[in-house]
Amino acid sequence: MMETLHPPVNAAPDTAPAFLDFTARAAAKVASLIAEQGNPQLKLRLYVSGGGCAGFQYGFSFDDQVADDDMQIVTDGVTLLIDAMSQQYLPGARVDYEDSLEGSRFVIQNPNAQSSCGCGSSFSV
């Protein structure tokens, strides 16, 4: 598993956010979803927005555009994008994929979250 971190284009190295772990299992699932879409330029975007039952919620979308202030994390050739506003909530987090009896989903383990809801898609800081 090879992971590389690319800080925002205009950020000084000492102000780049802490590393976020984008696991090989999550990258493999994203790669298969991108293959289904037939657009190899797609990247997975992770973002945090207000809302959800705990105050903030995680969201995912595919994007073929990279903003100047996006953080890019590459695992096994798959890119995870995180916008500048969301970066502050995610240092040290882990993005994984699980396939269990309860269903298949991306899972975020976030050490910055003081509490989260039962579904794991929203949190508070």
Side-chain angles (χ1 to χ4, degrees):
M1 172 173 81
M2 180 164 191
E3 300 179 58
T4 40
L5 174 68
H6 300 282
V9 175
N10 297 326
D14 60 338
T15 62
F19 182 76
L20 181 143
D21 184 17
F22 179 41
T23 69
R25 184 172 36 221
K29 181 60 178 178
V30 173
S32 71
L33 293 171
I34 289 172
E36 287 176 18
Q37 295 292 319
N39 181 354
Q41 300 304 312
L42 290 176
K43 297 153 184 57
L44 182 65
R45 181 173 293 283
L46 167 60
Y47 58 91
V48 174
S49 60
C53 53
F56 293 99
Q57 60 188 359
Y58 302 111
F60 291 98
S61 64
F62 282 113
D63 202 336
D64 59 2
Q65 301 295 312
V66 178
D68 287 342
D69 59 355
D70 280 343
M71 175 187 219
Q72 299 181 57
I73 299 170
V74 180
T75 300
D76 297 338
V78 178
T79 302
L80 177 71
L81 301 174
I82 305 169
D83 65 87
M85 286 297 290
S86 299
Q87 291 171 26
Q88 64 186 317
Y89 300 108
L90 297 167
R94 179 183 178 134
V95 178
D96 200 3
Y97 182 79
E98 69 178 28
D99 192 4
S100 68
L101 293 174
E102 297 172 359
S104 302
R105 64 186 180 146
F106 287 97
V107 178
I108 300 173
Q109 298 166 341
N110 188 345
N112 307 296
Q114 293 180 356
S115 65
S116 62
C117 69
C119 68
S121 66
S122 67
F123 67 101
S124 66
V125 288

